[in-house]
Amino acid sequence: MKIIGVILNTFRESIRDKVFITIIIFAILVMVSGKVIQPLALGEEAKVVKDIGLNSIALFSTLIAILVGGRLVYKEIEKRTLYLIITRPIHRWQFIVGKYFGLLLVLFESILIMTCAFYLILILLNISASLNLLLSVLLTFFQLWVITAIAILFSTFSTPITGAVFTFALYFIGHLTRDLKTFGAMSKSGLVKTLSDIMYYVLPNLANFNIKGEVVHNVTIAPQIIVLTIAYAIVYSAIIVFASCIIFQRKDF
Amino acid sequence: MGMVIVTENLTKDYHTGFRAHTIRAIENLNLEVEVREIFGFLGPNGAGKTTTIKVLVGLTKPTRGRAMVLGKSSTDVDIKKLIGFLPESPYFYEYLNPVEYLKLCAQLSGIARAEQQRRIEKLINLVRLERFVKMPMRGFSRGMLQRVGIAQALIHDPELVILDEPMGGLDPIGRREFRDIILKLKEQGKTIFFSTHILADVEMICDRVGIILNGKLINTGRLDEILGSEIETFEMVVRGLDRKMVKVIERISNKVIPSEDKVLIEVKTEEEVERIMVIMREVGAKLLSLIPRRKTLEDHFISEIQKERLKEI
């Protein structure tokens, strides 16, 4: 399978990237710091440590997706390494899809390492490490499907810095799209209502992926919410990856 | 004889600055490369060689006209199984070693896993990289990278090999080895299309050449047809001519270059050689060498380019 070749090479490239290793080490250090601020937690040590742990996994894996993903295709174009890949009997879309899943494999590995470190810290601090926390990690991983797709889309036509800025912007806006819709609904202007509706459906809705508060406070989450959120991630990222393939297909090198 | 490459009115435009400015890289290029020949594609910098090659390997699409490779459009993905390509100053994944890289290329070319190892070993031996197989390519010299480049171009045993400036950055030994590899490929029945600046290499190995200038093909043909076998000039080196005699000889030859005790004289005909020999005998000068010079590819290349530039004026 040719696409497997691209996936495995992307994986190999990313795990040998210093950015990846640095971020993982930093994430684990932040998780450990939960122990340091225990005295400030006013008896809520377990919740604070869990909160810091889950947020670290989400934040640092998002950083990897944006910083590594944003350079992934651009670097190949800039360094002309892709000349010797796309002149082989491989479709251009296979290259983009391979790059996408290669980075997802890297993110899966980094989340796995950070989650193991997180559970180890919980065990060492004698904090109950319920499997419920994994639900939040699972949705974080699917949120990365969307972020990675956006990062790769920008990587097909812009520089890594521009791409990273726009992906970060979309990441933050993505957590506020619900508020955007509410704001539109409150407005008297028809134009503002229409615009906010369009933006609500076009921009990624990332708030649904954030169930950290619920799992830390042991609030039950309906299984259909999890399933629908995962389905949303798959459909949204498929559309973005498809758009990246179209841009890349039309590109002259 | 079958054609491996055919371009018809091939034109490629590049747009810059929000399409405000258009640069025509190649214009109405009609090129034919026959099966099992070594074709040298010549031209000065910026003439359109690399753009033509990029169209042939599917990296870029023509604006107008068409490019057919082995009977199919150059954008056809399946045809790439039969093309080996080495770009100018190739870049590789520097974190990989040559074996890992060749394995990736083999995999992307659809070569069965069992066959991959055998081909990689054979090519590593061919390009003499045995000592560096475990070394990441990060530390490789230009010559070593060029060797990896030729190995990756041949990993899938292609019918057509397209090389963009393959001799660039190679030392004389590397160039010679490269020439030998190209000749060996021809023996194996492959067609080789390569662009270069190094005309001596072209003269040594090419069956036919094409010269491109400002995106237009200005000449194409067999080397023997282009260069012919006639003697163009005679180059004489003489010792023992004084300043007065040099002045006399300057009336016969328009190229007389005196140095310490020798004089280099270039004449066009045998009669002129005879006349100079008579003068030499009279003054007791000694003929050190007499070399008949045939037209070289470099002479032809430069005169063609000068002709085209004069037309533009």
Side-chain angles (χ1 to χ4, degrees), chain A residues 126-199:
Chain A
N126 261 333
I127 296 169
S128 71
S130 73
L131 287 176
N132 208 22
L133 298 172
L134 287 179
L135 270 184
S136 168
V137 176
L138 180 73
L139 287 195
T140 295
F141 180 60
F142 277 97
Q143 177 177 267
L144 292 173
W145 280 48
V146 177
I147 309 282
T148 305
I150 294 170
I152 285 192
L153 174 74
F154 282 118
S155 185
T156 56
F157 63 86
S158 70
T159 63
I161 293 173
T162 318
V165 169
F166 279 102
T167 313
F168 264 121
L170 282 176
Y171 172 70
F172 286 114
I173 295 168
H175 283 279
L176 302 171
T177 42
R178 262 192 223 153
D179 301 336
L180 203 71
K181 193 170 164 60
T182 316
F183 167 74
M186 282 159 60
S187 170
K188 284 176 188 160
S189 159
L191 182 69
V192 173
K193 266 185 190 152
T194 315
L195 275 177
S196 63
D197 274 353
I198 291 172
M199 285 170 82

Side-chain angles (χ1 to χ4, degrees), chain A residues 34-49 52 217:
Chain A
K35 166 78 181 153
V36 183
I37 59 163
Q38 250 187 342
L40 303 172
L42 304 169
E44 295 284 350
E45 297 91 347
K47 281 174 188 163
V48 169
V49 172
I52 290 177
H217 292 92

Side-chain angles (χ1 to χ4, degrees), chain B residues 18-275:
Chain B
F18 293 101
R19 300 192 155 249
H21 190 58
T22 301
I23 297 165
R24 178 149 291 178
I26 43 176
E27 187 174 355
N28 292 326
L29 193 85
N30 292 303
L31 185 72
E32 288 185 340
V33 176
E34 291 167 10
V35 70
R36 291 179 187 178
E37 75 173 350
I38 303 178
F39 189 94
F41 197 43
L42 317 175
N45 289 335
K49 301 190 295 292
T50 298
T51 303
T52 308
I53 286 178
K54 280 184 177 179
V55 173
L56 293 177
V57 297
L59 277 172
T60 194
K61 293 172 208 83
T63 306
R64 217 178 50 225
R66 59 181 197 150
M68 305 292 287
V69 178
L70 293 153
K72 287 190 175 177
S73 164
S74 61
T75 50
D76 191 310
V77 170
D78 287 336
I79 206 68
K80 293 176 184 174
K81 279 181 199 157
L82 307 173
I83 305 172
F85 170 53
L86 172 64
E88 186 182 3
S89 313
Y91 286 87
F92 305 100
Y93 299 114
E94 51 186 28
Y95 50 87
L96 297 181
N97 65 43
V99 171
E100 286 172 332
Y101 185 68
L102 291 176
K103 207 171 265 182
L104 170 68
C105 294
Q107 199 174 2
L108 296 180
S109 300
I111 298 166
R113 193 180 283 259
E115 177 70 4
Q116 287 176 10
Q117 197 53 36
R118 195 188 63 81
R119 289 206 193 175
I120 290 170
E121 275 171 25
K122 195 177 149 196
L123 285 166
I124 290 283
N125 290 336
L126 178 77
V127 298
R128 300 191 177 174
L129 277 174
E130 300 93 331
R131 287 191 298 129
F132 309 102
V133 285
K134 292 273 160 70
M135 209 170 132
M137 290 189 281
R138 185 175 293 121
F140 276 22
S141 67
R142 175 91 196 270
M144 283 155 78
L145 289 175
Q146 205 74 349
R147 286 162 195 266
V148 179
I150 191 83
Q152 65 75 35
L154 302 177
I155 190 81
H156 51 302
D157 195 22
E159 280 182 31
L160 167 66
V161 183
I162 297 179
L163 312 164
D164 192 4
E165 300 283 357
M167 313 287 190
L170 290 181
D171 59 22
I173 298 167
R175 272 170 52 195
R176 192 195 183 123
E177 284 173 359
F178 228 90
R179 281 201 305 264
D180 291 345
I181 290 172
I182 291 175
L183 290 170
K184 210 181 271 178
L185 291 174
K186 193 193 171 186
E187 273 172 31
Q188 291 167 8
K190 302 192 189 308
T191 307
I192 298 105
F193 178 93
F194 78 101
S195 72
T196 186
H197 283 115
I198 303 165
L199 300 175
D201 293 327
V202 179
E203 221 167 334
M204 264 185 254
I205 60 174
C206 284
D207 299 306
R208 285 200 311 137
V209 294
I211 300 175
I212 185 171
L213 181 70
N214 296 335
K216 293 174 191 162
L217 194 68
I218 55 169
N219 198 347
T220 175
R222 299 196 69 80
L223 264 183
D224 47 8
E225 289 165 6
I226 288 177
L227 303 180
S229 54
E230 280 177 29
I231 293 165
E232 288 262 303
T233 55
F234 294 90
E235 201 177 87
M236 305 170 78
V237 179
V238 181
R239 181 184 284 158
L241 286 175
D242 58 21
R243 205 171 286 172
K244 199 175 141 198
M245 282 300 120
V246 169
K247 290 270 177 212
V248 174
I249 287 171
E250 274 174 352
R251 280 182 228 142
I252 304 167
S253 162
N254 54 10
K255 191 174 173 188
V256 180
I257 305 168
S259 63
E260 286 179 25
D261 59 336
K262 285 178 267 180
V263 183
L264 178 99
I265 306 160
E266 194 182 278
V267 288
K268 286 201 161 51
T269 62
E270 281 178 45
E271 289 71 37
E272 286 169 343
V273 173
E274 271 307 313
R275 284 171 64 193

